[in-house]
Amino acid sequence: MATATELLPLLRGGLPLRFETISAALTPEVPLLARLPTTPQDPQWHAEGSVAAHSAIVVEHAHDLAGAAGLQGEDRAALILAAALHDVGKALTTREEEDESGTLRIRSPRHARRGRDYLSFRLLDAGLPPDLLLKVLPLVAEHHSLHRALEGDWARGVPALARRVPLPALTQLARADARGRVVLSGDAARGEDTADLLDLAAQDLGVWDGANPLATFQAEVAALLPGASPNLLALATGRGWADWTAGLIHTPTKRRHGYRTPPGAALRS
């Protein structure tokens, strides 16, 4: 059986590794993986079966997508590992709940963020390099965030998502995730449609491929705070960006209560 560190050159080089191989290599440090074959999913949305059954199909599609996109090295390894690990949080969060009609459903609320938190130190202990984890963990945390970014004001939601995770990798994971589901409700294409829409919106907004979504905002804040220290600029930009993405302000010159003051300006006095 391969170890976690022995997986890396295989993933970077493009060898198609099965989910079961990846899971077996990581389970000593990520024991939650052993519970995925017995973690159920709602049959309406995941008729393919358990979380492990779903993850295995997602990994297969992630290999295909990585090959079609010409991904190599760390980018390829990050996509495949994220595909294998994206639903590990379901082992912690899955439960039965009644829906609005009183039908019993299997749900896994907030499993993406719980999975990211669970994996962070364990993958380091497995010997995976920090630079790779900085690619994998945001993908795990945000793999259900695409539709939320497109709700309401796209000009706010999409740049905010681009600030947290590289969108090209996220949309590839979303496509693999969608193709790894057997949906009985006729909604099977929704995940891929959302990925395509996010792709178009991000390119239109100029935040698709590595562009800094904060660049314009940072420049405006810097112009409003001449002579400010780097720490103050970082604080003012961070607070202002959080308020802007939440819809509390519309320009860097507006505070939460409408005062014509740049975020953080009061801290200079």
Side-chain angles (χ1 to χ4, degrees), residues 23-183:
S23 179
L26 295 177
T27 295
E29 297 295 343
V30 188
L32 212 58
L33 284 165
R35 291 169 50 182
L36 298 189
T38 57
T39 300
Q41 300 183 108
D42 194 293
Q44 179 178 353
W45 306 105
H46 283 281
E48 72 277 3
S50 69
V51 175
H54 167 66
S55 299
I57 305 171
V58 174
V59 167
E60 291 179 8
H61 286 296
H63 279 297
D64 293 340
L65 289 164
L71 295 184
Q72 297 179 350
E74 295 288 277
D75 290 338
R76 184 184 186 96
L79 178 61
I80 305 305
L81 283 174
L85 299 169
H86 73 289
D87 275 348
V88 71
K90 286 186 175 181
L92 296 172
T93 60
T94 297
R95 59 179 184 250
E96 290 186 335
E97 295 179 342
E98 288 187 356
D99 64 13
E100 297 78 6
S101 67
T103 302
L104 204 60
R105 296 293 186 194
I106 298 173
R107 291 176 173 168
S108 306
R110 295 177 294 280
H111 72 271
R113 300 295 175 88
R114 287 288 300 277
R116 183 270 315 275
D117 294 346
Y118 173 86
L119 290 167
S120 55
F121 291 108
R122 289 172 175 84
L123 292 180
L124 276 175
D125 290 341
L128 299 183
D131 287 349
L132 177 60
L133 298 190
L134 289 175
K135 295 175 181 288
V136 173
L137 294 176
L139 291 173
V140 172
E142 304 292 347
H143 75 273
H144 268 193
S145 298
L146 286 79
H147 68 280
R148 287 191 289 270
L150 294 169
E151 290 174 350
D153 187 350
W154 293 9
R156 295 177 190 271
V158 174
L161 182 60
R163 175 73 173 158
R164 301 193 299 269
V165 60
L167 298 185
L170 182 64
T171 54
Q172 292 289 60
L173 177 59
R175 291 185 178 98
D177 193 13
R179 296 176 190 181
R181 300 168 60 189
V182 178
V183 180

